[in-house]
Amino acid sequence: MSAIILLLFGLGGMALGYVFYSKFIAQHIYKLDENFKTPAHEMEDGIDFVPTNKFVLWGHHFTSVAGAAPIVGPAIAVIWGWLPAFLWVTIGTIFFAGVHDAGAIWASVRNRAKSVGALTGEVVGNRARSVFMIVIFLVLLMVNGVFGVVIAKLLINNPGAVVPVWGAIVVALLIGQLIYRMKASLPLVSILGVGALYFLIYIGPSVPMALPEQIGFEAIGYLSDSAAWILLLFAYAAIASLLPVWMLLQPRDYINGLQLFVGLILLYGAVLIANPTVVAPMINIDVPEGTPSMIPLLFVTIACGAISGFHGLVASGTSSKQLDKETDARFVGYFGAVGEGALALAAIIAATAGFASLADWKAVYHAFGQGGVLAFVNGGATILHAGTGIDEVVASTLLTVMAALFAGTTMDTGLRLQRYIFQEWGEIYNIKWMGKALPATLLAVGSCLVLAFGAGGADGTGGLIIWPLFGTTNQLLAGLTLLVITVMLVRRKIASAYTLIPLVFLLVMTLAALLLQLKGFYESQNWFLLGLDIVVLVAAILVTLECASALRRTKREMAEADA
C-alpha cells in the first residue's frame, strides 16, 4: 500500500478535527472568553508569568510535550501492524489529546494557573491531591531520567548532531533577546532562527564531535561518555529551568517547533514524491514471541501522539502561566496536540515505509520494544533521500537533531515542572526553604541523578529501569486530568460527555495494562517494578474513587440548590 494514503487520511482527519471539533469544544464546552483576565496578566512577574504571543506559546507548548515520545511510541507499536497505530494516533489526536490539552490549560487559567496536582485539591479534595502529586512526580522523574539517556545515546551514535543540538541553545538565546529586548519582527526573527538552525544541521556532519572514551579526574574516577553527557545535560537543564521563560525556554521551544514543521514538510514532501510502499503488515498476526497483547498495551505504548498525561503537566504548569488570551487555549492546546499527532504519523510512515522489504522490516522488529528512534531516523532518512535527493548522512543528522532537540526541550520544561512540584510541596507543608526556586531545582536535579546513577550505576542509565511503567503511569495521569476537568464542567452545568467518554476509556485501558504488567513483573520476579506498579495501581484507584465521590457530591449539591 502507498504511504501517501496514510499521509492524506491522517493529516486530513486532524485538520478537520481542528477546524470543526476544536471550535465546538472551545465555544460550547470550555466557553473560552477573550475578555477573561489570564494569570499571565494578573500575576505577571517577568520570569514564569509572561503574556506571550500565541504562536510563540504554541511553539513552547508543542515542543515541550512532544519530546521523543511521539516518535518512540508509534515506532514501537507498529509491531502489531500499521493500522492499529494509525487509527489510535488519528482518532486519539482528534477526540482525546486536543480536548485534554486545551482543557488542562483552561482549567488551570480559571484557577490562577495552578498545576493540575494543586488544582485537584480544590476541585476534588486534599487526599486526592496528595496521591495525585506522587503520580505526577513519578511521571516527571521517568521523563527527565530517560530523556537524558535518550539524548546522550543520540549524540554518541551521531557525533554530527552535537554542533546543531548545542548550537540551537545559542540561537534560542539570541532569538529571546531579539523578540523581547529589541522588539524585532517575529516573522524576520523566525526566518533568521530557522535559517541558523538548518545551517548548523548542514555543517554538523562536517565537524563531528565526541567526548573522549573516558573523561574525569584521577581523584574521583573516570566517567563514561554516556555518563558525562547525562551530567552535562542535567547541568544545562538546571540552569535553563531557573532562567526567565522568555530568555531561553520560549524561544528555544518556538524555533524547535518551526524546525519540526520544516522537517515534517520535507519528510511528507518526500513521501509525496517518492511514493514509498508500506512494507509492514496492516495487522501483524505473526508477532515475535514474547510480544504482549495489543489490547490494552497499544493504548499505553502510544501515549504522546494520541493522548498523554505529561501534556496536562505542561499545559497547567508553564503554558497556562503564559497565555495572553483565554481563547488562545484552542490554538496552543488543541493545535499543539495536532502538531504532535502529525509527528507521530510521520514516525509510523518512516517505521513502516522506510524499509526495502518486509524481510528488512522484520529484521528490525524481531522483538517487542525494537524500532523506536533508530527506526524513525533510518527509515525517514531513506525516504528523504529517495524523495528529495538529500544526502542520507545529512538526512539522518536532520532527523537525529529533530529527535534530540525535542527530547531536550522536554527536559527543560520537565525539570522546571519538577521544581514547581517541590515548591508546591514546600507551600503545602510549610517548608519555606523548599518553596524557593534554587533549592527546589537542586532537589529536582538530585532526584533525577539519584535515579540515573543510583539505579543505573556508573553509566547513568537508571531511568531506563522504571521506564516500562511510564506508559501506564502517563496515561493514568491523562485520565485523572480529564476527571478534574469533568468535575469542573459538571459544577458549571456544562455537558461533560466530551471529556467523560475519553477518561472512562483511558482509565479502563490503563488499569488493565497495570494489572497485565503486574502479572509480568511477578512472573519475571522483578520485585522493584512489581512494588512500583502496586503503588501506581493503588494511587489510580484512590484518586478515581475520590473523583467519583466528588462528582456525586457535586451533583447532589446542584440538585439541592435547584430544589
Side-chain angles (χ1 to χ4, degrees):
M1 188 190 76
S2 170
I4 293 177
I5 295 175
L6 291 183
L7 185 156
L8 295 178
F9 276 92
L11 292 185
M14 294 177 200
L16 290 173
Y18 177 72
V19 172
F20 297 106
Y21 193 62
S22 73
K23 184 177 181 180
F24 168 79
I25 293 295
Q27 293 182 349
H28 300 287
I29 305 303
Y30 298 140
K31 299 184 178 180
L32 303 181
D33 182 2
E34 186 176 2
N35 297 316
F36 180 80
K37 189 174 183 180
T38 64
H41 290 281
E42 184 181 354
M43 305 166 67
E44 183 174 1
D45 60 5
I47 299 176
D48 294 318
F49 292 85
V50 179
T52 304
N53 178 288
K54 70 177 183 180
F55 296 101
V56 176
L57 183 56
W58 169 85
H60 156 71
H61 178 81
F62 166 50
T63 54
S64 293
V65 300
I71 296 172
V72 176
I76 289 175
V78 294
I79 198 167
W80 289 300
W82 61 261
L83 182 61
F86 172 77
L87 289 176
W88 175 226
V89 163
T90 306
I91 295 172
T93 296
I94 297 169
F95 297 106
F96 287 63
V99 174
H100 171 274
D101 287 22
I105 295 176
W106 165 76
S108 179
V109 164
R110 287 284 171 161
N111 290 273
R112 295 176 59 82
K114 290 185 177 180
S115 72
V116 68
L119 186 58
T120 305
E122 295 189 7
V123 175
V124 181
N126 289 332
R127 286 181 300 185
R129 177 192 64 189
S130 299
V131 177
F132 202 178
M133 289 185 73
I134 293 173
V135 175
I136 292 172
F137 180 77
L138 285 174
V139 169
L140 290 172
L141 191 63
M142 292 175 188
V143 168
N144 293 331
V146 170
F147 278 18
V149 178
V150 169
I151 300 170
K153 286 186 174 181
L154 285 170
L155 296 178
I156 292 168
N157 291 333
N158 193 338
V162 173
V163 168
V165 166
W166 289 96
I169 298 171
V170 178
V171 173
L173 287 168
L174 292 174
I175 288 174
Q177 296 297 318
L178 286 171
I179 292 176
Y180 287 98
R181 289 287 176 84
M182 302 178 67
K183 307 298 181 183
S185 165
L186 185 59
L188 176 62
V189 170
S190 302
I191 293 170
L192 291 174
V194 172
L197 192 56
Y198 273 90
F199 175 72
L200 290 173
I201 291 172
Y202 176 75
I203 66 170
S206 303
V207 285
M209 296 183 65
L211 295 175
E213 284 294 322
Q214 288 184 320
I215 62 174
F217 302 96
E218 291 283 358
I220 61 173
Y222 286 96
L223 296 172
S224 67
D225 49 357
S226 175
W229 276 126
I230 289 169
L231 287 173
L232 287 172
L233 287 164
F234 273 109
Y236 155 74
I239 295 170
S241 72
L242 289 168
L243 292 176
V245 290
W246 65 265
M247 189 175 291
L248 177 59
L249 188 68
Q250 275 185 6
R252 176 168 157 81
D253 291 352
Y254 174 64
I255 207 65
N256 284 347
L258 291 179
Q259 72 91 17
L260 169 75
F261 262 79
V262 173
L264 284 179
I265 289 170
L266 287 172
L267 184 56
Y268 284 139
V271 170
L272 292 173
I273 295 170
N275 191 19
T277 299
V278 176
V279 299
M282 183 170 68
I283 296 177
N284 190 12
I285 59 175
D286 185 26
V287 295
E289 185 178 353
T291 301
S293 170
M294 181 176 70
I295 298 176
L297 266 297
L298 171 70
F299 304 102
V300 297
T301 301
I302 300 179
C304 298
I307 181 171
S308 165
F310 181 71
H311 292 205
L313 301 185
V314 176
S316 65
T318 57
S319 299
S320 63
K321 294 177 174 63
Q322 303 168 60
L323 201 71
D324 183 31
K325 298 178 180 178
E326 190 179 62
T327 48
D328 291 347
R330 178 192 173 203
F331 183 80
V332 175
Y334 197 103
F335 193 63
V338 169
E340 188 173 66
L343 177 57
L345 178 62
I348 291 171
I349 292 174
T352 57
F355 296 86
S357 66
L358 177 59
D360 291 334
W361 182 83
K362 285 187 174 182
V364 172
Y365 287 87
H366 60 274
F368 182 72
Q370 300 301 306
V373 173
L374 288 179
F376 168 75
V377 170
N378 295 334
T382 299
I383 294 172
L384 275 172
H385 176 68
T388 65
I390 296 175
D391 181 78
E392 281 202 52
V393 175
V394 175
S396 177
T397 300
L398 187 154
L399 296 175
T400 299
V401 170
M402 183 188 294
L405 287 180
F406 280 117
T409 53
T410 300
M411 272 190 71
D412 291 358
T413 303
L415 201 65
R416 187 179 287 261
L417 292 172
Q418 208 167 353
R419 185 246 288 179
Y420 290 162
I421 291 293
F422 278 109
Q423 287 182 284
E424 286 179 358
W425 275 335
E427 293 175 5
I428 292 170
Y429 300 109
N430 198 28
I431 306 174
K432 293 183 179 180
W433 64 268
M434 191 184 291
K436 297 179 180 178
L438 182 58
T441 299
L442 293 176
L443 287 172
V445 173
S447 61
C448 291
L449 292 179
V450 166
L451 172 65
F453 291 94
D459 64 352
T461 59
L464 296 176
I465 292 175
I466 63 174
W467 185 249
L469 275 173
F470 171 76
T472 45
T473 309
N474 186 48
Q475 296 302 70
L476 166 65
L477 184 56
L480 298 180
T481 300
L482 286 169
L483 265 173
V484 172
I485 297 170
T486 300
V487 173
M488 288 183 61
L489 292 175
V490 170
R491 287 183 175 178
R492 286 168 168 75
K493 298 182 179 180
I494 301 173
S496 59
Y498 303 94
T499 57
L500 186 62
I501 293 172
L503 85 83
V504 170
F505 179 85
L506 271 183
L507 287 180
V508 169
M509 289 299 169
T510 303
L511 290 174
L514 279 167
L515 291 171
L516 190 64
Q517 286 183 318
L518 198 69
K519 178 176 179 289
F521 295 146
Y522 176 78
E523 290 175 348
S524 63
Q525 297 186 347
N526 191 329
W527 308 123
F528 175 70
L529 287 181
L530 179 71
L532 198 57
D533 193 316
I534 292 172
V535 170
V536 175
L537 184 61
V538 170
I541 293 171
L542 288 176
V543 176
T544 301
L545 291 175
E546 287 286 341
C547 287
S549 175
L551 277 172
R552 289 195 300 270
R553 186 170 60 249
T554 299
K555 289 183 177 180
R556 185 174 62 251
E557 291 171 355
M558 290 169 59
E560 291 173 354
D562 291 339

